[in-house]
Amino acid sequence: MTAAVPAAATSASRTHLVLIPSYNTGAKVYETVREARASWSPVWVVVDGSDDGTAEGLLRMAREDAGLRVWVLPRNQGKGSAVLHGLRAAQAAGFTHALTMDADGQHPAALIPTFMQASMRRPEAMILGRPVFDASAPLLRVRGRRISNGWTNLETLGAGVGDSLYGFRVYPVAALAAVMARQPWMRRFDFDTEAVVRLAWRGVKPINIDAPVKYLKAEEGGVSHFRYGRDNVLLTWMHTRLVLEFVLRLPLLLWRRALRRPPFQP
């Protein structure tokens, strides 16, 4: 299960960490963590109430790897809740930025250093993955996210969010933790989109970097917890809330954009 960590990943960053929320992803999570550790240190995993035995396996990996830490939540609370747990721990430990990535093998671990370097150059920004799809991408998912992206572009007054749903991104820890502390939402599938909208409202500039996304088949170890009906209802409710709040924020956003204030600065 464990693998030797390349020397390049053993020099731990004191400011930037990789944060992986995980829920019942099966053995694929071990591969994801190994690939992340090959590219970065430290890597933190928050197991969101998984009952597939992976929590025990990840804890064993962490005992043999000083660059890996694992938290196990007692019950499933949702991706956003798992990320928030990690953010609070990161903030307490003095980290300033966290790169989030999915545990299911969809995200390109090899690009972690590229995203981290972009974040170090622009620490005031959020570094967002802009997905590059291949033939494995379900057409319904690809078309559906265009709708969410359109609403996000409206809600942020064209601040420059390249994709609202792709969860491979670097967040400023303090800003995101503060945003989430004020919201009862953002705890499940609505996390990724609402995070970028509210951070843009807070003045955090989005910077986009292209990144491939893989949709793995079941025989390849792919696991998806997305449910078209349930999660699209959740996204619809989220955008309804955000649009209503956007109307109230519109004068301030127009003023910021006119003066090129954050998040509209170069």
Side-chain angles (χ1 to χ4, degrees), residues 189-256:
F189 188 74
D190 54 350
F191 164 74
D192 290 311
T193 302
E194 191 157 355
V196 293
V197 171
R198 292 195 177 277
L199 284 173
W201 287 349
R202 192 181 175 90
V204 179
K205 179 180 178 61
I207 294 176
N208 304 289
I209 299 178
D210 288 347
V213 57
K214 296 184 296 184
Y215 286 86
L216 303 176
K217 299 177 181 178
E219 56 269 24
E220 298 173 308
V223 177
S224 175
H225 299 293
F226 180 80
R227 299 294 179 266
Y228 284 96
R230 177 198 65 189
D231 291 326
N232 280 319
V233 167
L234 182 62
L235 288 177
T236 299
W237 165 235
M238 176 200 67
H239 282 301
T240 300
R241 291 185 287 102
L242 291 176
V243 167
L244 292 174
E245 191 169 345
F246 162 74
V247 172
L248 299 177
R249 293 176 177 270
L250 183 56
L252 177 59
L253 290 170
L254 286 169
W255 176 80
R256 285 181 179 176

Side-chain angles (χ1 to χ4, degrees), residues 93-134:
F95 288 93
T96 59
H97 293 76
L99 181 149
T100 59
M101 64 182 295
D102 291 350
D104 59 7
Q106 288 192 358
H107 293 161
L111 286 182
I112 291 173
T114 299
F115 276 62
M116 294 301 205
Q117 289 159 11
S119 174
M120 291 173 186
R121 287 192 297 267
R122 297 290 300 270
E124 82 284 3
M126 49 182 163
I127 311 301
L128 307 181
R130 183 167 47 204
V132 178
F133 297 105
D134 61 14

Side-chain angles (χ1 to χ4, degrees):
M1 181 186 303
T2 58
V5 178
T10 59
S11 180
S13 171
R14 296 184 179 181
T15 58
H16 288 61
L17 61 84
V18 174
L19 180 59
I20 305 176
S22 178
Y23 173 65
N24 282 356
T25 49
K28 179 59 69 174
V29 68
Y30 304 134
E31 180 182 341
T32 299
V33 170
R34 285 195 294 267
E35 291 178 351
R37 278 291 292 119
S39 293
W40 199 258
S41 180
V43 172
W44 290 6
V45 182
V46 180
V47 181
D48 185 24
S50 295
D51 56 9
D52 60 354
T54 53
E56 294 78 8
L58 289 165
L59 289 169
R60 286 194 296 271
M61 291 178 70
R63 285 195 290 268
E64 300 176 13
D65 180 0
L68 175 63
R69 293 191 65 181
V70 176
W71 281 263
V72 180
L73 304 184
R75 59 182 178 83
N76 177 248
Q77 301 174 49
K79 177 181 181 178
S81 290
V83 169
L84 181 58
H85 183 92
L87 291 174
R88 287 171 172 164
Q91 200 169 15
F95 288 93
T96 59
H97 293 76
L99 181 149
T100 59
M101 64 182 295
D102 291 350
D104 59 7
Q106 288 192 358
H107 293 161
L111 286 182
I112 291 173
T114 299
F115 276 62
M116 294 301 205
Q117 289 159 11
S119 174
M120 291 173 186
R121 287 192 297 267
R122 297 290 300 270
E124 82 284 3
M126 49 182 163
I127 311 301
L128 307 181
R130 183 167 47 204
V132 178
F133 297 105
D134 61 14
S136 69
L139 187 58
L140 187 59
R141 295 283 295 273
V142 174
R143 289 177 174 172
R145 72 193 304 127
R146 293 175 186 167
I147 299 173
S148 184
N149 289 340
W151 283 111
T152 298
N153 187 54
L154 170 66
E155 292 151 3
T156 60
L157 205 61
V161 175
D163 189 90
S164 62
L165 290 165
Y166 193 37
F168 189 79
R169 48 179 64 157
V170 185
Y171 294 108
V173 168
L176 182 55
V179 163
M180 296 188 73
R182 297 179 180 181
Q183 297 297 323
W185 314 103
M186 302 175 65
R187 299 303 189 262
R188 295 193 176 274
F189 188 74
D190 54 350
F191 164 74
D192 290 311
T193 302
E194 191 157 355
V196 293
V197 171
R198 292 195 177 277
L199 284 173
W201 287 349
R202 192 181 175 90
V204 179
K205 179 180 178 61
I207 294 176
N208 304 289
I209 299 178
D210 288 347
V213 57
K214 296 184 296 184
Y215 286 86
L216 303 176
K217 299 177 181 178
E219 56 269 24
E220 298 173 308
V223 177
S224 175
H225 299 293
F226 180 80
R227 299 294 179 266
Y228 284 96
R230 177 198 65 189
D231 291 326
N232 280 319
V233 167
L234 182 62
L235 288 177
T236 299
W237 165 235
M238 176 200 67
H239 282 301
T240 300
R241 291 185 287 102
L242 291 176
V243 167
L244 292 174
E245 191 169 345
F246 162 74
V247 172
L248 299 177
R249 293 176 177 270
L250 183 56
L252 177 59
L253 290 170
L254 286 169
W255 176 80
R256 285 181 179 176
R257 190 169 72 172
L259 297 180
R260 305 190 78 179
R261 298 287 181 87
F264 303 102
Q265 76 274 32

